[in-house]
């Protein structure tokens, strides 16, 4: 029997602007909090005891997992590092083997099942999950292996094998190594400056130093960790594609009403939940998940591979682009156009055109536009924890935090991030990141002069 430790205590500073009101692990993946999705996958894989390490925004994690009897919690205090969190949590583990995994991992249930199964059949004391395909995001640590065993971490980019932030092994060995790790990653190149913090990497180094071999198990499916907001969009799209690839036939609830007059692609795979409606004259161009009580009406256009949560309304000639995920209780109407990901309770109408992520309870004013291309064809550079970064994908989309609103005619330039509880006034052009709790108003200079018929020639 195997227990699991899920690390869910980080602050998620790189996940701005979506970690203000929640722990980033509570960000939804097709409507389900990431940490809940992972916990359910672990349970389905045979894990009956899950210790979740909490810290920042602890209550949001507890709420997400409130219905799982298999879960217990271990809380970190202050600025305790990951190794300290693991030392606390592993004292609650009573099984012979333990799986330790970062809670922001998004992958398939099959991937987790194979990891557990292959470790058990290998007779290894400790195994780590690796990938030969570049994971998302690509800055995940690389490793050197020899004879199918872990050798060392690679900080110089020479290896083409990546560590997937998950290990499994003998509880006694991992507990002992967690107690004896150095408190920082020591196997870095000369001139590098590792942070003075214990981590899963420093524990793996301690296991290696105790002459315990670590076998490697290759990930079969996609794997992504939610470091940045664009990773969340990528993760949702990967899971959405996997959902439709796994779907063998259409699923339509008895109460779903799909009009014969709707223009639905013959190749589309449709999941229509209870009390859903697709009206006459609407266009569905490909695979669609339509959640409970949601409606597509009055000429709306839905492209391929779209997920719509429950009780949402897409209406009045609005358009959802391909690979878009819509949250619960959204209203998108009056020729609004959207690509990306929305959370719950989003309102978007009257000729808006948005590409990116909209947090929960966002109200988009009429005519709000997000620009996605720059004249120099470059991706906007951002500052993350004092360091410059260039997003590997979706860097020029707009990222609007929870409980924000825009006035009429707002323009969002490529790659801007707007913090939670902010208001962008009418006619503003947003060129830089906006911190939470900010009001932006545009000052307009007016020249007022006399005008009338005398300004024209009389004929």
């Amino acid at each position: 029997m195997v227990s699991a430790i899920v690390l869910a205590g980080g602050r998620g500073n790189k996940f701005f602007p979506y970690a203000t009101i929640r722990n980033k692990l509570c960000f939804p993946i097709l409507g389900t909090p990431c940490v809940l999705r992972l916990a359910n996958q672990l349970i389905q894989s045979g894990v009956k005891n899950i210790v979740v390490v909490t810290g920042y925004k602890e209550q949001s994690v507890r709420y997400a997992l409130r219905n799982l009897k298999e879960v217990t919690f271990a809380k970190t205090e202050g600025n305790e590092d990951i190794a300290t969190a693991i030392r606390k949590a592993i004292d609650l583990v009573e099984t012979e083997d333990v799986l330790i995994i970062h809670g922001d991992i998004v992958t398939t249930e099959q991937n987790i099942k194979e990891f557990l199964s292959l470790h058990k059949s290998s007779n290894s004391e400790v195994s780590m999950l690796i990938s030969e395909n570049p994971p998302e995001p690509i800055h995940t640590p690389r490793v050197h292996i020899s004879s199918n065993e872990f050798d060392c971490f690679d900080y110089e980019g020479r290896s083409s094998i990546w560590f997937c932030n998950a290990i499994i092994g003998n509880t006694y060995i991992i507990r002992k190594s967690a107690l004896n790790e150095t408190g920082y990653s020591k196997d870095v190149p000369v001139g590098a400056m590792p942070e003075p913090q214990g981590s899963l990497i420093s524990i793996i180094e301690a296991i290696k130093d105790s002459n315990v071999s670590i076998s490697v198990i290759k990930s079969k499916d996609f794997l992504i960790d939610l470091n940045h907001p664009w990773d969340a969009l990528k993760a949702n799209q990967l899971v959405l594609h996997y959902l439709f690839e796994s779907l063998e036939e259409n699923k339509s609830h008895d109460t779903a009403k799909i009009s014969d007059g709707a223009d639905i692609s013959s190749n589309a795979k449709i999941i229509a939940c209870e009390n859903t409606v697709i009206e006459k004259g609407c266009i569905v161009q490909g695979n669609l998940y339509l959640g409970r009580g949601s409606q597509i009406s009055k000429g709306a256009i839905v492209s391929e591979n779209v997920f719509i949560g429950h009780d949402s309304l897409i209406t009045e000639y609005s358009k959802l682009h391909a690979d878009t995920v819509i949250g619960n209780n959204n209203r998108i109407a009056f020729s609004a156009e959207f690509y990306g990901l929305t959370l719950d309770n989003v309102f978007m109408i009257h000729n808006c055109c948005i590409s990116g992520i909209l947090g929960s309870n966002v109200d988009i004013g009429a005519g709000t536009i997000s620009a996605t291309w720059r004249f120099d064809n470059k991706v906007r550079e951002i500052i993350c924890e004092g360091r410059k970064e260039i997003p590997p994908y979706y860097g020029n989309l707009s990222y609007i935090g929870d409980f924000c609103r825009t006035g009429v005619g707002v323009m969002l330039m490529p790659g801007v991030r707007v913090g939670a509880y902010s208001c962008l006034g009418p006619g503003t052009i947003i060129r830089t990141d906006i911190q939470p709790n900010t009001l932006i108003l545009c000052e307009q200079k007016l020249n007022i002069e006399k005008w009338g018929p005398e300004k024209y020639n009389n004929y």
Side-chain angles (χ1 to χ4, degrees):
M1 194 169 153
V2 179
S3 297
I5 296 174
V6 175
L7 302 172
R11 295 190 62 85
N13 292 334
K14 293 182 179 181
F15 205 63
F16 175 79
Y18 303 107
T20 300
I21 69 168
R22 66 177 71 79
N23 186 293
K24 71 170 180 175
L25 273 65
C26 296
F27 196 90
I29 306 297
L30 299 193
T32 300
C34 176
V35 68
L36 174 59
R37 182 176 183 274
L38 178 60
N40 283 329
Q41 289 175 327
L42 292 171
I43 293 168
Q44 292 300 315
S45 301
V47 178
K48 301 304 181 185
N49 175 32
I50 302 172
V51 181
V52 177
V53 178
T54 62
Y56 176 73
K57 297 292 181 182
E58 173 196 18
Q59 199 56 40
S60 62
V61 177
R62 286 181 174 271
Y63 181 80
L65 300 172
R66 65 193 182 281
N67 294 323
L68 299 185
K69 65 180 185 301
E70 296 86 353
V71 170
T72 56
F73 296 93
K75 184 179 180 180
T76 59
E77 302 294 339
N79 294 321
E80 290 178 342
D81 59 28
I82 290 175
T84 302
I86 292 173
R87 286 192 286 270
K88 281 187 174 182
I90 207 166
D91 286 338
L92 303 176
V93 172
E94 298 178 354
T95 55
E96 182 179 351
D97 285 335
V98 61
L99 164 70
I100 303 176
I101 186 168
H102 282 231
D104 57 359
I105 294 297
V106 179
T107 188
T108 66
E109 182 180 311
Q110 185 62 30
N111 215 22
I112 292 175
K113 285 182 176 178
E114 289 202 10
F115 182 42
L116 298 177
S117 175
L118 291 174
H119 168 72
K120 184 177 181 180
S121 62
S122 70
N123 295 317
S124 299
E125 291 181 299
V126 180
S127 300
M128 67 190 301
L129 187 62
I130 63 168
S131 175
E132 289 185 327
N133 298 315
E136 307 290 356
I138 201 168
H139 58 253
T140 303
R142 304 188 191 205
V143 297
H144 286 293
I145 64 173
S146 59
S147 301
N148 210 37
E149 291 184 357
F150 168 76
D151 184 28
C152 65
F153 287 100
D154 168 34
Y155 294 95
E156 297 178 339
R158 297 175 182 174
S159 173
S160 59
I161 298 172
W162 283 263
F163 175 47
C164 296
N165 290 328
I167 66 170
I168 184 172
N170 181 273
T171 303
Y172 172 79
I173 291 174
I174 294 179
R175 179 186 285 114
K176 182 179 178 181
S177 299
L179 289 170
N180 295 325
E181 56 90 28
T182 57
Y184 61 93
S185 180
K186 63 186 181 60
D187 294 334
V188 297
V190 173
M193 297 182 183
E195 291 188 68
Q197 291 187 342
S199 64
L200 189 53
I201 289 176
S202 65
I203 291 175
I204 291 171
E205 291 173 344
I207 295 171
K208 182 72 174 176
D209 289 345
S210 63
N211 295 318
V212 174
S213 61
I214 303 173
S215 65
V216 294
I217 296 174
K218 297 175 183 176
S219 171
K220 299 288 181 66
D221 292 325
F222 68 84
L223 188 144
I224 183 169
D225 60 340
L226 305 184
N227 277 338
H228 299 90
W230 38 88
D231 300 326
L233 177 54
K234 185 76 168 180
N236 272 273
Q237 291 177 342
L238 288 170
V239 174
L240 181 59
H241 278 258
Y242 185 79
L243 169 67
F244 289 125
E245 288 168 3
S246 305
L247 185 65
E248 296 181 355
E249 59 182 15
N250 292 346
K251 296 181 179 180
S252 182
H253 194 272
D254 292 342
T255 59
K257 298 178 181 178
I258 302 177
S259 170
D260 291 337
D263 184 359
I264 299 177
S265 169
S266 59
N267 297 323
K269 297 179 180 179
I270 305 292
I271 300 176
C273 299
E274 59 269 36
N275 299 315
T276 52
V277 174
I278 303 177
E279 288 186 356
K280 177 182 178 180
C282 296
I283 299 173
V284 177
Q285 297 174 328
N287 302 332
L288 170 67
Y289 178 99
L290 190 58
R292 167 180 49 82
S294 288
Q295 299 182 37
I296 301 172
S297 67
K298 297 181 182 177
I301 301 172
V302 177
S303 299
E304 66 273 14
N305 295 321
V306 170
F307 179 99
I308 300 173
H310 65 71
D311 298 310
S312 288
L313 175 63
I314 315 300
T315 189
E316 290 155 331
Y317 306 101
S318 296
K319 180 174 182 178
L320 301 181
H321 287 267
D323 300 324
T324 285
V325 175
I326 300 298
N328 304 320
N329 196 35
N330 279 213
R331 184 179 179 188
I332 301 176
F334 298 111
S335 302
E337 188 174 346
F338 183 75
Y339 165 76
L341 168 64
T342 69
L343 275 62
D344 297 346
N345 307 313
V346 170
F347 192 81
M348 186 186 342
I349 63 171
H350 291 303
N351 302 309
C352 302
C353 185
I354 305 292
S355 296
I357 298 180
L358 303 180
S360 62
N361 297 275
V362 167
D363 182 4
I364 298 295
T368 297
I369 303 293
S370 64
T372 57
W373 292 97
R374 293 165 39 130
F375 287 146
D376 59 8
N377 289 324
K378 292 182 179 180
V379 176
R380 180 175 179 262
E381 185 181 77
I382 66 161
I383 303 297
C384 250
E385 295 187 319
R387 293 190 292 268
K388 294 180 180 179
E389 290 191 32
I390 297 178
Y393 39 73
Y394 306 142
N396 282 344
L397 303 189
S398 299
Y399 297 91
I400 300 181
D402 305 277
F403 300 100
C404 288
R405 67 187 309 167
T406 76
V408 173
V410 171
M411 181 175 292
L412 302 157
M413 300 307 287
V416 298
R417 298 174 296 169
V418 179
Y421 303 109
S422 291
C423 180
L424 310 179
T428 52
I429 300 175
I430 309 302
R431 303 178 185 275
T432 61
D433 289 347
I434 305 299
Q435 293 305 305
N437 301 89
T438 301
L439 170 64
I440 306 289
L441 294 175
C442 177
E443 290 189 4
Q444 185 181 30
K445 182 179 180 180
L446 300 177
N447 292 321
I448 301 176
E449 300 179 4
K450 185 71 174 177
W451 194 262
E454 67 275 10
K455 297 291 184 180
Y456 295 89
N457 292 326
N458 293 320
Y459 295 101

